[in-house]
Amino acid sequence: MDFTIPEELKMVQTLVRDFVKEQLLPLEREVLGRESDLAGAMQRLTPETEEKLVKMVKDMGLWGVGIPEELGGVGLGTLGTCLVEEELAKTIIPFNFGDVTPILFDCNEEQKEHYLLPVIEGQKHPYLALIEPGKGIDPAAMELRAERVNSGYLLNGRKLSFSKVGTGDFAIVFAVTDPEGGIRDGVTCLLVDRDTPGFTVVGGEERTGWQAQVAEPVSLIFDNCRVPAEKVLGEEGKALYLGKKWLLSRRVVRGARVVGAAVRLLDVSTEHAKSWQSFGQAISTWPSVQAALADMAIDIHAARLMVYHAAWKADEGEDIHQEAAMVKVFADEMLYRVADRAVQIRGGPAPAGELPLERLCRNIVARSAGQNALEVQRAIITEDVLKLRG
Amino acid sequence: MPLRVQRDVKEIEAVLHEILSTASPPVARCRLLSSGFSAGHALDITEDLAGVKACLGCGNCIDICPVLVREPRRRERTEQRTSMALENLVDEDCDRCYACVLVCPQVDTTIKHYIVNRRMIEVMSRIQERIGDEGEPDLDLFLEEALS
């Protein structure tokens, strides 16, 4: 058993750590707002700043860390991607090293040229149109229909997308083509260009100040929108099999992001505990605060080991269904515990001076919107437990 | 000692088919279709039990039932370990895996052979369908993708 991180991945980890420290952390104040009323707060970086950072990452040779080499990415594998994402998650700055949804990895040659490669290069940005207002992604409840017409499809319905506002050049749309087909055969994925007649994007305006803390989804409206058949991504009816080879390891990568955020919470808490005086001594000398810091460290260590193990297994080509489910359940619940302790150590609502803590906690609550299915993960784990022990 | 003369499945195939096609533990009815104790069953009692088809209460069917393994709380409703208890505990939720029939000491071997030879492929496919295709899409992965 060897727990050593390979040398080349350690180098990447150090590079990213330095990049976060030198380039991203100094931007936090700018993103969070300079005044106590948060009048200058932003949801995103300015395009100029982002462009500059993207160029730096490309120069470092790390743009597209999670994208397979054969598709033009760095191809670091799951463990390498986890190490990078863990470092990036230590800051609240919304920036990544060329994160592309693996759903697009199943593009055919023509679609690759037109969609995937420009997305990898950062020249195009997709709207992921999967969720419907009040419906989630259950195909049985999905209302957006793609009706077969001459040499194409007619789209009618509405989707929500949490993709970056205003920059979407096309939408990756999941639509029902066969209501009887269910999740196996009934949903088709279509690539719809922004300028296609009948396709409009509304809402999701960028806000400033306190409102910048709230990421509002954009609404994608399809009104008799005609899409040619060659825009089908993958096979008709098989949309929910897209990206199958890569999607599960993304769950582990998300676990790494959680670990990174928890590490930052521990750092913020430790710094505060050492510097805040009470009754003439730093609160870090109080046994209760020490115990809280220790519990945070234990939680983070356990989650990190789970993430690295699952990532290593994924890179070995082994099945990680159970491990990925365990990572999701444990890491997400761990982050809540760590955030709760961080707030307890802080001893009250985070004021302007401690905005990273405040934003990190808000991000955690926002994350929980996607965590409504932890019980599903528990069911996946239990299925294996019963098979092994039953 | 003569061997127990067991039921020839050809005589009961129609009713057996119906029993095995019903979503309810089939062990008790298979037992009643069987030939009961043989004279060779040595029990320390004076009564002549030959031909008696009663449940022995051995509990094999209770222990083997996958529904009760998945949902052990169902067992809390009774301490009985008879085929009647199994029917009450499982009722229409029966997986129709026929494991209860195969482990019952009172069911004729001929009936067990019939199940293994004629019904097991169907059982396997039904259980596979229940578990779900291993490659079936995980909607939650897509939801995470959309929200992250």
PDB file of all heavy atoms in Angstrom, chain B residues 106-131:
ATOM      1  N   GLN B 106     -40.598 -30.164   3.297  1.00  0.00           N
ATOM      2  CA  GLN B 106     -41.863 -30.859   3.048  1.00  0.00           C
ATOM      3  C   GLN B 106     -42.313 -30.797   1.582  1.00  0.00           C
ATOM      4  O   GLN B 106     -43.356 -31.352   1.248  1.00  0.00           O
ATOM      5  CB  GLN B 106     -42.966 -30.247   3.931  1.00  0.00           C
ATOM      6  CG  GLN B 106     -42.942 -30.685   5.376  1.00  0.00           C
ATOM      7  CD  GLN B 106     -43.394 -32.125   5.551  1.00  0.00           C
ATOM      8  OE1 GLN B 106     -42.733 -33.057   5.103  1.00  0.00           O
ATOM      9  NE2 GLN B 106     -44.541 -32.315   6.199  1.00  0.00           N
ATOM     10  N   VAL B 107     -41.555 -30.088   0.746  1.00  0.00           N
ATOM     11  CA  VAL B 107     -41.953 -30.019  -0.662  1.00  0.00           C
ATOM     12  C   VAL B 107     -41.255 -31.135  -1.429  1.00  0.00           C
ATOM     13  O   VAL B 107     -40.054 -31.372  -1.239  1.00  0.00           O
ATOM     14  CB  VAL B 107     -41.598 -28.637  -1.268  1.00  0.00           C
ATOM     15  CG1 VAL B 107     -41.805 -28.624  -2.778  1.00  0.00           C
ATOM     16  CG2 VAL B 107     -42.439 -27.540  -0.625  1.00  0.00           C
ATOM     17  N   ASP B 108     -41.995 -31.767  -2.284  1.00  0.00           N
ATOM     18  CA  ASP B 108     -41.437 -32.877  -3.046  1.00  0.00           C
ATOM     19  C   ASP B 108     -40.271 -32.433  -3.923  1.00  0.00           C
ATOM     20  O   ASP B 108     -40.298 -31.339  -4.506  1.00  0.00           O
ATOM     21  CB  ASP B 108     -42.516 -33.490  -3.950  1.00  0.00           C
ATOM     22  CG  ASP B 108     -43.465 -34.386  -3.173  1.00  0.00           C
ATOM     23  OD1 ASP B 108     -43.204 -34.606  -1.971  1.00  0.00           O
ATOM     24  OD2 ASP B 108     -44.449 -34.859  -3.759  1.00  0.00           O
ATOM     25  N   THR B 109     -39.293 -33.306  -4.040  1.00  0.00           N
ATOM     26  CA  THR B 109     -38.134 -33.018  -4.884  1.00  0.00           C
ATOM     27  C   THR B 109     -38.554 -32.837  -6.338  1.00  0.00           C
ATOM     28  O   THR B 109     -37.949 -32.057  -7.075  1.00  0.00           O
ATOM     29  CB  THR B 109     -37.127 -34.186  -4.783  1.00  0.00           C
ATOM     30  OG1 THR B 109     -36.952 -34.499  -3.402  1.00  0.00           O
ATOM     31  CG2 THR B 109     -35.781 -33.812  -5.381  1.00  0.00           C
ATOM     32  N   THR B 110     -39.579 -33.540  -6.739  1.00  0.00           N
ATOM     33  CA  THR B 110     -40.051 -33.411  -8.136  1.00  0.00           C
ATOM     34  C   THR B 110     -40.483 -31.970  -8.422  1.00  0.00           C
ATOM     35  O   THR B 110     -40.208 -31.433  -9.496  1.00  0.00           O
ATOM     36  CB  THR B 110     -41.236 -34.351  -8.390  1.00  0.00           C
ATOM     37  OG1 THR B 110     -42.189 -34.186  -7.321  1.00  0.00           O
ATOM     38  CG2 THR B 110     -40.790 -35.800  -8.462  1.00  0.00           C
ATOM     39  N   ILE B 111     -41.136 -31.360  -7.472  1.00  0.00           N
ATOM     40  CA  ILE B 111     -41.574 -29.965  -7.646  1.00  0.00           C
ATOM     41  C   ILE B 111     -40.359 -29.034  -7.684  1.00  0.00           C
ATOM     42  O   ILE B 111     -40.278 -28.114  -8.490  1.00  0.00           O
ATOM     43  CB  ILE B 111     -42.567 -29.563  -6.528  1.00  0.00           C
ATOM     44  CG1 ILE B 111     -43.854 -30.368  -6.669  1.00  0.00           C
ATOM     45  CG2 ILE B 111     -42.855 -28.054  -6.563  1.00  0.00           C
ATOM     46  CD1 ILE B 111     -44.880 -30.130  -5.566  1.00  0.00           C
ATOM     47  N   LYS B 112     -39.402 -29.324  -6.825  1.00  0.00           N
ATOM     48  CA  LYS B 112     -38.181 -28.499  -6.815  1.00  0.00           C
ATOM     49  C   LYS B 112     -37.435 -28.627  -8.141  1.00  0.00           C
ATOM     50  O   LYS B 112     -36.956 -27.625  -8.697  1.00  0.00           O
ATOM     51  CB  LYS B 112     -37.272 -28.917  -5.656  1.00  0.00           C
ATOM     52  CG  LYS B 112     -37.879 -28.617  -4.292  1.00  0.00           C
ATOM     53  CD  LYS B 112     -36.991 -29.082  -3.167  1.00  0.00           C
ATOM     54  CE  LYS B 112     -37.645 -28.792  -1.825  1.00  0.00           C
ATOM     55  NZ  LYS B 112     -36.871 -29.273  -0.689  1.00  0.00           N
ATOM     56  N   HIS B 113     -37.370 -29.850  -8.658  1.00  0.00           N
ATOM     57  CA  HIS B 113     -36.703 -30.034  -9.956  1.00  0.00           C
ATOM     58  C   HIS B 113     -37.433 -29.267 -11.049  1.00  0.00           C
ATOM     59  O   HIS B 113     -36.809 -28.661 -11.922  1.00  0.00           O
ATOM     60  CB  HIS B 113     -36.653 -31.539 -10.313  1.00  0.00           C
ATOM     61  CG  HIS B 113     -35.614 -32.271  -9.535  1.00  0.00           C
ATOM     62  ND1 HIS B 113     -35.434 -33.638  -9.624  1.00  0.00           N
ATOM     63  CD2 HIS B 113     -34.706 -31.843  -8.627  1.00  0.00           C
ATOM     64  CE1 HIS B 113     -34.449 -34.004  -8.814  1.00  0.00           C
ATOM     65  NE2 HIS B 113     -34.006 -32.931  -8.191  1.00  0.00           N
ATOM     66  N   TYR B 114     -38.746 -29.293 -10.980  1.00  0.00           N
ATOM     67  CA  TYR B 114     -39.542 -28.582 -11.984  1.00  0.00           C
ATOM     68  C   TYR B 114     -39.207 -27.090 -11.956  1.00  0.00           C
ATOM     69  O   TYR B 114     -38.989 -26.457 -12.990  1.00  0.00           O
ATOM     70  CB  TYR B 114     -41.037 -28.794 -11.696  1.00  0.00           C
ATOM     71  CG  TYR B 114     -41.941 -27.973 -12.586  1.00  0.00           C
ATOM     72  CD1 TYR B 114     -42.300 -28.411 -13.861  1.00  0.00           C
ATOM     73  CD2 TYR B 114     -42.452 -26.747 -12.144  1.00  0.00           C
ATOM     74  CE1 TYR B 114     -43.120 -27.649 -14.678  1.00  0.00           C
ATOM     75  CE2 TYR B 114     -43.273 -25.986 -12.946  1.00  0.00           C
ATOM     76  CZ  TYR B 114     -43.613 -26.435 -14.208  1.00  0.00           C
ATOM     77  OH  TYR B 114     -44.422 -25.674 -15.010  1.00  0.00           O
ATOM     78  N   ILE B 115     -39.139 -26.546 -10.760  1.00  0.00           N
ATOM     79  CA  ILE B 115     -38.840 -25.105 -10.631  1.00  0.00           C
ATOM     80  C   ILE B 115     -37.458 -24.797 -11.190  1.00  0.00           C
ATOM     81  O   ILE B 115     -37.277 -23.855 -11.968  1.00  0.00           O
ATOM     82  CB  ILE B 115     -38.960 -24.659  -9.157  1.00  0.00           C
ATOM     83  CG1 ILE B 115     -40.437 -24.636  -8.747  1.00  0.00           C
ATOM     84  CG2 ILE B 115     -38.329 -23.289  -8.937  1.00  0.00           C
ATOM     85  CD1 ILE B 115     -40.670 -24.385  -7.282  1.00  0.00           C
ATOM     86  N   VAL B 116     -36.487 -25.607 -10.797  1.00  0.00           N
ATOM     87  CA  VAL B 116     -35.113 -25.336 -11.246  1.00  0.00           C
ATOM     88  C   VAL B 116     -35.004 -25.476 -12.768  1.00  0.00           C
ATOM     89  O   VAL B 116     -34.391 -24.641 -13.443  1.00  0.00           O
ATOM     90  CB  VAL B 116     -34.112 -26.283 -10.533  1.00  0.00           C
ATOM     91  CG1 VAL B 116     -32.727 -26.161 -11.161  1.00  0.00           C
ATOM     92  CG2 VAL B 116     -34.046 -25.943  -9.052  1.00  0.00           C
ATOM     93  N   ASN B 117     -35.638 -26.504 -13.298  1.00  0.00           N
ATOM     94  CA  ASN B 117     -35.491 -26.754 -14.742  1.00  0.00           C
ATOM     95  C   ASN B 117     -36.371 -25.868 -15.614  1.00  0.00           C
ATOM     96  O   ASN B 117     -35.997 -25.543 -16.730  1.00  0.00           O
ATOM     97  CB  ASN B 117     -35.812 -28.222 -15.062  1.00  0.00           C
ATOM     98  CG  ASN B 117     -34.778 -29.143 -14.452  1.00  0.00           C
ATOM     99  OD1 ASN B 117     -33.607 -28.774 -14.360  1.00  0.00           O
ATOM    100  ND2 ASN B 117     -35.198 -30.310 -13.999  1.00  0.00           N
ATOM    101  N   ARG B 118     -37.500 -25.472 -15.105  1.00  0.00           N
ATOM    102  CA  ARG B 118     -38.462 -24.779 -15.961  1.00  0.00           C
ATOM    103  C   ARG B 118     -38.659 -23.305 -15.613  1.00  0.00           C
ATOM    104  O   ARG B 118     -39.184 -22.543 -16.411  1.00  0.00           O
ATOM    105  CB  ARG B 118     -39.827 -25.496 -15.889  1.00  0.00           C
ATOM    106  CG  ARG B 118     -39.764 -26.956 -16.285  1.00  0.00           C
ATOM    107  CD  ARG B 118     -39.636 -27.118 -17.799  1.00  0.00           C
ATOM    108  NE  ARG B 118     -40.808 -26.640 -18.474  1.00  0.00           N
ATOM    109  CZ  ARG B 118     -41.926 -27.386 -18.657  1.00  0.00           C
ATOM    110  NH1 ARG B 118     -41.957 -28.618 -18.220  1.00  0.00           N
ATOM    111  NH2 ARG B 118     -42.963 -26.882 -19.279  1.00  0.00           N
ATOM    112  N   ARG B 119     -38.327 -22.909 -14.389  1.00  0.00           N
ATOM    113  CA  ARG B 119     -38.685 -21.556 -13.979  1.00  0.00           C
ATOM    114  C   ARG B 119     -37.490 -20.654 -13.643  1.00  0.00           C
ATOM    115  O   ARG B 119     -37.657 -19.447 -13.482  1.00  0.00           O
ATOM    116  CB  ARG B 119     -39.595 -21.604 -12.734  1.00  0.00           C
ATOM    117  CG  ARG B 119     -40.998 -22.089 -13.007  1.00  0.00           C
ATOM    118  CD  ARG B 119     -41.664 -21.199 -14.041  1.00  0.00           C
ATOM    119  NE  ARG B 119     -43.088 -21.375 -14.068  1.00  0.00           N
ATOM    120  CZ  ARG B 119     -43.968 -20.470 -13.663  1.00  0.00           C
ATOM    121  NH1 ARG B 119     -43.551 -19.326 -13.197  1.00  0.00           N
ATOM    122  NH2 ARG B 119     -45.239 -20.705 -13.726  1.00  0.00           N
ATOM    123  N   MET B 120     -36.307 -21.245 -13.513  1.00  0.00           N
ATOM    124  CA  MET B 120     -35.210 -20.442 -12.967  1.00  0.00           C
ATOM    125  C   MET B 120     -34.731 -19.321 -13.897  1.00  0.00           C
ATOM    126  O   MET B 120     -34.340 -18.251 -13.438  1.00  0.00           O
ATOM    127  CB  MET B 120     -34.028 -21.335 -12.572  1.00  0.00           C
ATOM    128  CG  MET B 120     -34.045 -21.694 -11.107  1.00  0.00           C
ATOM    129  SD  MET B 120     -34.719 -20.384 -10.098  1.00  0.00           S
ATOM    130  CE  MET B 120     -34.146 -20.782  -8.515  1.00  0.00           C
ATOM    131  N   ILE B 121     -34.760 -19.566 -15.214  1.00  0.00           N
ATOM    132  CA  ILE B 121     -34.302 -18.519 -16.140  1.00  0.00           C
ATOM    133  C   ILE B 121     -35.216 -17.296 -16.002  1.00  0.00           C
ATOM    134  O   ILE B 121     -34.757 -16.149 -15.937  1.00  0.00           O
ATOM    135  CB  ILE B 121     -34.291 -19.041 -17.584  1.00  0.00           C
ATOM    136  CG1 ILE B 121     -33.179 -20.079 -17.704  1.00  0.00           C
ATOM    137  CG2 ILE B 121     -34.097 -17.903 -18.588  1.00  0.00           C
ATOM    138  CD1 ILE B 121     -33.108 -20.789 -19.003  1.00  0.00           C
ATOM    139  N   GLU B 122     -36.509 -17.584 -15.874  1.00  0.00           N
ATOM    140  CA  GLU B 122     -37.477 -16.495 -15.699  1.00  0.00           C
ATOM    141  C   GLU B 122     -37.207 -15.746 -14.384  1.00  0.00           C
ATOM    142  O   GLU B 122     -37.259 -14.520 -14.315  1.00  0.00           O
ATOM    143  CB  GLU B 122     -38.886 -17.104 -15.677  1.00  0.00           C
ATOM    144  CG  GLU B 122     -39.999 -16.096 -15.651  1.00  0.00           C
ATOM    145  CD  GLU B 122     -41.304 -16.747 -15.232  1.00  0.00           C
ATOM    146  OE1 GLU B 122     -41.522 -17.934 -15.534  1.00  0.00           O
ATOM    147  OE2 GLU B 122     -42.091 -16.053 -14.593  1.00  0.00           O
ATOM    148  N   VAL B 123     -36.877 -16.523 -13.344  1.00  0.00           N
ATOM    149  CA  VAL B 123     -36.586 -15.920 -12.034  1.00  0.00           C
ATOM    150  C   VAL B 123     -35.391 -14.981 -12.146  1.00  0.00           C
ATOM    151  O   VAL B 123     -35.427 -13.844 -11.676  1.00  0.00           O
ATOM    152  CB  VAL B 123     -36.282 -17.019 -10.988  1.00  0.00           C
ATOM    153  CG1 VAL B 123     -35.701 -16.406  -9.722  1.00  0.00           C
ATOM    154  CG2 VAL B 123     -37.533 -17.790 -10.664  1.00  0.00           C
ATOM    155  N   MET B 124     -34.343 -15.470 -12.808  1.00  0.00           N
ATOM    156  CA  MET B 124     -33.128 -14.658 -12.931  1.00  0.00           C
ATOM    157  C   MET B 124     -33.422 -13.349 -13.659  1.00  0.00           C
ATOM    158  O   MET B 124     -32.968 -12.284 -13.254  1.00  0.00           O
ATOM    159  CB  MET B 124     -32.041 -15.419 -13.704  1.00  0.00           C
ATOM    160  CG  MET B 124     -31.611 -16.711 -13.052  1.00  0.00           C
ATOM    161  SD  MET B 124     -30.911 -16.491 -11.435  1.00  0.00           S
ATOM    162  CE  MET B 124     -29.317 -15.880 -11.843  1.00  0.00           C
ATOM    163  N   SER B 125     -34.182 -13.434 -14.745  1.00  0.00           N
ATOM    164  CA  SER B 125     -34.446 -12.217 -15.516  1.00  0.00           C
ATOM    165  C   SER B 125     -35.304 -11.247 -14.714  1.00  0.00           C
ATOM    166  O   SER B 125     -35.135 -10.039 -14.779  1.00  0.00           O
ATOM    167  CB  SER B 125     -35.107 -12.543 -16.846  1.00  0.00           C
ATOM    168  OG  SER B 125     -36.353 -13.137 -16.614  1.00  0.00           O
ATOM    169  N   ARG B 126     -36.236 -11.817 -13.898  1.00  0.00           N
ATOM    170  CA  ARG B 126     -37.102 -10.938 -13.104  1.00  0.00           C
ATOM    171  C   ARG B 126     -36.298 -10.208 -12.026  1.00  0.00           C
ATOM    172  O   ARG B 126     -36.482  -9.018 -11.787  1.00  0.00           O
ATOM    173  CB  ARG B 126     -38.217 -11.771 -12.468  1.00  0.00           C
ATOM    174  CG  ARG B 126     -39.417 -10.982 -12.104  1.00  0.00           C
ATOM    175  CD  ARG B 126     -40.633 -11.838 -11.893  1.00  0.00           C
ATOM    176  NE  ARG B 126     -40.399 -13.003 -11.077  1.00  0.00           N
ATOM    177  CZ  ARG B 126     -40.673 -14.243 -11.440  1.00  0.00           C
ATOM    178  NH1 ARG B 126     -41.181 -14.482 -12.633  1.00  0.00           N
ATOM    179  NH2 ARG B 126     -40.443 -15.258 -10.639  1.00  0.00           N
ATOM    180  N   ILE B 127     -35.379 -10.930 -11.409  1.00  0.00           N
ATOM    181  CA  ILE B 127     -34.567 -10.305 -10.358  1.00  0.00           C
ATOM    182  C   ILE B 127     -33.650  -9.251 -10.969  1.00  0.00           C
ATOM    183  O   ILE B 127     -33.467  -8.171 -10.430  1.00  0.00           O
ATOM    184  CB  ILE B 127     -33.773 -11.377  -9.580  1.00  0.00           C
ATOM    185  CG1 ILE B 127     -34.748 -12.199  -8.749  1.00  0.00           C
ATOM    186  CG2 ILE B 127     -32.715 -10.741  -8.690  1.00  0.00           C
ATOM    187  CD1 ILE B 127     -34.145 -13.352  -8.024  1.00  0.00           C
ATOM    188  N   GLN B 128     -33.098  -9.582 -12.138  1.00  0.00           N
ATOM    189  CA  GLN B 128     -32.231  -8.628 -12.826  1.00  0.00           C
ATOM    190  C   GLN B 128     -32.996  -7.335 -13.123  1.00  0.00           C
ATOM    191  O   GLN B 128     -32.504  -6.229 -12.915  1.00  0.00           O
ATOM    192  CB  GLN B 128     -31.734  -9.240 -14.141  1.00  0.00           C
ATOM    193  CG  GLN B 128     -30.736  -8.378 -14.892  1.00  0.00           C
ATOM    194  CD  GLN B 128     -29.477  -8.152 -14.087  1.00  0.00           C
ATOM    195  OE1 GLN B 128     -28.978  -9.050 -13.428  1.00  0.00           O
ATOM    196  NE2 GLN B 128     -28.983  -6.929 -14.105  1.00  0.00           N
ATOM    197  N   GLU B 129     -34.256  -7.514 -13.556  1.00  0.00           N
ATOM    198  CA  GLU B 129     -35.092  -6.360 -13.883  1.00  0.00           C
ATOM    199  C   GLU B 129     -35.344  -5.515 -12.643  1.00  0.00           C
ATOM    200  O   GLU B 129     -35.328  -4.299 -12.665  1.00  0.00           O
ATOM    201  CB  GLU B 129     -36.422  -6.870 -14.446  1.00  0.00           C
ATOM    202  CG  GLU B 129     -37.279  -5.808 -15.072  1.00  0.00           C
ATOM    203  CD  GLU B 129     -38.585  -6.412 -15.552  1.00  0.00           C
ATOM    204  OE1 GLU B 129     -38.604  -7.605 -15.904  1.00  0.00           O
ATOM    205  OE2 GLU B 129     -39.583  -5.695 -15.540  1.00  0.00           O
ATOM    206  N   ARG B 130     -35.523  -6.213 -11.516  1.00  0.00           N
ATOM    207  CA  ARG B 130     -35.805  -5.514 -10.265  1.00  0.00           C
ATOM    208  C   ARG B 130     -34.598  -4.700  -9.800  1.00  0.00           C
ATOM    209  O   ARG B 130     -34.719  -3.553  -9.388  1.00  0.00           O
ATOM    210  CB  ARG B 130     -36.166  -6.552  -9.194  1.00  0.00           C
ATOM    211  CG  ARG B 130     -36.608  -5.934  -7.910  1.00  0.00           C
ATOM    212  CD  ARG B 130     -36.777  -7.014  -6.875  1.00  0.00           C
ATOM    213  NE  ARG B 130     -37.087  -6.387  -5.616  1.00  0.00           N
ATOM    214  CZ  ARG B 130     -38.310  -6.130  -5.210  1.00  0.00           C
ATOM    215  NH1 ARG B 130     -39.321  -6.473  -5.956  1.00  0.00           N
ATOM    216  NH2 ARG B 130     -38.519  -5.540  -4.059  1.00  0.00           N
ATOM    217  N   ILE B 131     -33.398  -5.319  -9.912  1.00  0.00           N
ATOM    218  CA  ILE B 131     -32.179  -4.633  -9.491  1.00  0.00           C
ATOM    219  C   ILE B 131     -31.903  -3.466 -10.430  1.00  0.00           C
ATOM    220  O   ILE B 131     -31.424  -2.419 -10.042  1.00  0.00           O
ATOM    221  CB  ILE B 131     -30.976  -5.606  -9.506  1.00  0.00           C
ATOM    222  CG1 ILE B 131     -31.138  -6.649  -8.413  1.00  0.00           C
ATOM    223  CG2 ILE B 131     -29.667  -4.861  -9.305  1.00  0.00           C
ATOM    224  CD1 ILE B 131     -30.171  -7.789  -8.504  1.00  0.00           C
TER     225      ILE B 131
END
